[in-house]
């Protein structure tokens, strides 16, 4: 199932912040992305209604199984593209920014070939 790029970005951010902070609130996402709290709240409501995110007993955001699957896939693409861009000499900051733009449109075939290429150049 294809979801919107913005939803993928939110799911990826929940995954990243979860790894970094342990527990994630909407305000954490708003601060990290520079979005307003109401905008993030609306997005989280939509993600909950579509089964990608749940709230735990303390009000923290938790990715569901399908939320984790999407977030992990997008984050993997992000890391692969970032590595490739860094390899060709792009600065860390620009590589991360550009990877965020590119990651949503990569096919499965391209991702697999990127993995193979990065494994070759890493060895």
């Amino acid at each position: 199932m294809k979801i919107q790029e913005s939803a993928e970005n939110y799911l990826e951010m929940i995954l990243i912040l979860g790894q970094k902070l342990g527990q994630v609130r909407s305000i954490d996402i708003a601060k990290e992305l520079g979005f307003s709290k109401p905008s993030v709240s609306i997005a989280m409501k939509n993600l909950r209604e579509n089964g990608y995110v749940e709230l735990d007993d303390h009000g923290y955001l938790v990715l569901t199984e399908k939320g984790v699957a999407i977030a992990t896939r997008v984050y993997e693409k992000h890391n692969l593209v970032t590595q490739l861009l860094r390899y060709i000499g792009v600065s860390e900051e620009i590589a991360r920014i550009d990877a965020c733009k590119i990651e949503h449109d990569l096919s499965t075939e391209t991702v697999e070939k990127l993995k193979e290429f990065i494994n070759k150049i890493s060895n």
Side-chain angles (χ1 to χ4, degrees):
M1 171 188 212
K2 179 74 174 142
I3 67 169
Q4 291 185 348
E5 183 177 319
S6 61
E8 288 181 342
N9 285 334
Y10 280 116
L11 294 172
E12 180 184 22
M13 185 53 59
I14 294 168
L15 178 73
I16 292 166
L17 289 174
Q19 292 171 351
K20 183 177 170 182
L21 305 174
Q23 299 171 320
V24 182
R25 300 167 299 159
S26 291
I27 191 68
D28 300 321
I29 296 167
K31 286 178 184 176
E32 189 71 25
L33 296 175
F35 296 160
S36 71
K37 174 82 166 84
S39 295
V40 174
S41 292
I42 291 167
M44 292 307 106
K45 179 180 182 257
N46 290 334
L47 290 173
R48 284 194 315 275
E49 288 175 352
N50 288 294
Y52 298 107
V53 176
E54 296 174 342
L55 288 176
D56 70 10
D57 295 338
H58 302 286
Y60 291 104
L61 297 164
V62 178
L63 293 171
T64 64
E65 188 174 316
K66 71 181 189 174
V68 168
I70 292 169
T72 302
R73 187 186 76 235
V74 173
Y75 191 50
E76 176 185 42
K77 289 179 184 182
H78 179 94
N79 288 330
L80 286 169
V81 173
T82 300
Q83 284 181 313
L84 178 65
L85 294 174
R86 292 290 295 135
Y87 179 76
I88 63 172
V90 177
S91 70
E92 180 70 31
E93 181 181 354
I94 298 299
R96 280 185 284 133
I97 291 168
D98 286 350
C100 198
K101 296 173 190 172
I102 296 168
E103 66 196 17
H104 304 283
D105 294 323
L106 292 177
S107 68
T108 302
E109 179 182 354
T110 299
V111 170
E112 291 307 312
K113 294 300 179 184
L114 278 174
K115 286 180 192 176
E116 289 174 20
F117 179 74
I118 289 171
N119 283 336
K120 278 184 192 176
I121 64 174
S122 297
N123 295 326

